[in-house]
Amino acid sequence: MYPAELVKPMREDLTSVGFTELHTTDDVQAAMKKEGTTLVVVNSVCGCAAANARPGARMALQNAKTPDNLYTVFAGVDREATELARNFMVPFPPSSPSMALFKDGELVHMLERHHIEGRPAELIADNLVDAFNEYCQ
């Protein structure tokens, strides 16, 4: 488990732009029952989360079409919530960071760590924007 003071700014990177944190399995269950489109970001302390994933997610939200629901779980911190969120992302293996877009509870788009690591935030944002334009209202 990482110290709260270490992960606080990493959490705020997403919560400051409208993401809701999912800390428990009950939070995840309730979130995944929401209708419409739902983006779930598996946050992480790694460098590619800081340099690529979180900035890419924030940039993508500047698009005209965005998900109805924005959620995040923090790998290595909210372990049970993260594990359950990842179960909704099957058949993709667990990875951190990662991003999954759901429509009415069905997984429709996935960005795994290997899609994020080493790629600029702008490219990640473009990937998400394409998915938002296809699946979001």
Side-chain angles (χ1 to χ4, degrees), residues 7-84:
V7 299
K8 184 177 186 283
M10 298 172 203
R11 291 179 182 275
E12 290 172 351
D13 253 359
L14 296 176
T15 59
S16 67
V17 295
F19 282 84
T20 299
E21 293 182 292
L22 306 174
H23 298 287
T24 68
T25 55
D26 288 343
D27 293 343
V28 174
Q29 288 287 4
M32 297 311 297
K33 290 178 182 173
K34 297 265 183 159
E35 291 184 6
T37 50
T38 299
L39 179 65
V40 177
V41 174
V42 179
N43 202 350
S44 171
V45 298
C46 72
C48 64
N52 313 86
R54 292 190 301 265
R58 287 192 319 266
M59 282 185 236
L61 295 179
Q62 302 306 308
N63 190 49
K65 292 182 179 181
T66 58
D68 300 311
N69 310 295
L70 302 170
Y71 296 109
T72 181
V73 293
F74 208 111
V77 178
D78 302 315
R79 290 181 191 265
E80 285 135 10
T82 301
E83 183 178 329
L84 182 56

